[in-house]
Amino acid sequence: MDFYKILLGLSSIERPAFDFNGAWFSIGNGLSLHLIEDVHMKPIVQSGSRALHFAFLVEDLSKFRECLKANEIIIVKDIKPRPDGALQLFIKDPDGYVVEIVQFNHQ
């Protein structure tokens, strides 16, 4: 939860009283990220940038990359431009799920 709350800056939102642990986070525009704690469940592990993943937008990808490095977050694919001109990098969250970080309108 700290990865999403502290490092990615997501806000916790209220979650129903399920009979299992988890957390919900607001990701903007009425959307939410639902995390479920299950020590017996293994992440869907795929390699490459076309693997199952989701993306977050940041204003300064280079600055955010410094924060990732300082927090010893695994960078799967370092900063590179996409065909549309956006910059992207791929990381793994602490459970091994791939997350894309993207920046539009870079100089």
Side-chain angles (χ1 to χ4, degrees), residues 45-53 76-77 90 92 98:
V45 179
Q46 298 174 336
S47 61
S49 61
R50 293 188 181 126
L52 173 67
H53 72 277
V76 178
K77 288 197 172 194
F90 291 85
K92 283 192 176 183
V98 176

Side-chain angles (χ1 to χ4, degrees), residues 4-7 10-11 16 21 29-31 33 36 42-44 47 55 57-58 73 77 87 89-90 95 98 103:
Y4 290 97
K5 188 172 188 173
I6 297 170
L7 191 66
L10 300 181
S11 299
N21 292 329
N29 295 327
L31 302 174
L33 172 66
I36 297 171
K42 296 192 186 260
I44 299 170
S47 61
L57 178 66
V58 297
I73 301 301
K77 288 197 172 194
L87 295 176
L89 69 80
F90 291 85
D95 291 318
V98 176
Q103 173 190 338

Side-chain angles (χ1 to χ4, degrees), residues 19-93:
D19 62 353
F20 54 89
N21 292 329
W24 288 7
F25 294 95
S26 173
I27 56 175
N29 295 327
L31 302 174
S32 58
L33 172 66
H34 298 180
L35 303 180
I36 297 171
E37 181 181 43
D38 184 342
V39 296
H40 303 292
M41 184 182 297
K42 296 192 186 260
I44 299 170
V45 179
Q46 298 174 336
S47 61
S49 61
R50 293 188 181 126
L52 173 67
H53 72 277
F54 52 92
F56 287 104
L57 178 66
V58 297
E59 290 184 22
D60 186 334
L61 190 57
S62 293
K63 185 175 179 180
F64 191 74
R65 183 185 179 279
E66 291 175 22
C67 178
L68 295 169
K69 288 287 208 182
N71 285 279
E72 300 179 353
I73 301 301
I74 297 170
I75 296 176
V76 178
K77 288 197 172 194
D78 214 342
I79 297 174
K80 69 172 194 167
R82 295 191 323 201
D84 64 358
L87 295 176
Q88 66 183 163
L89 69 80
F90 291 85
I91 60 176
K92 283 192 176 183
D93 78 1

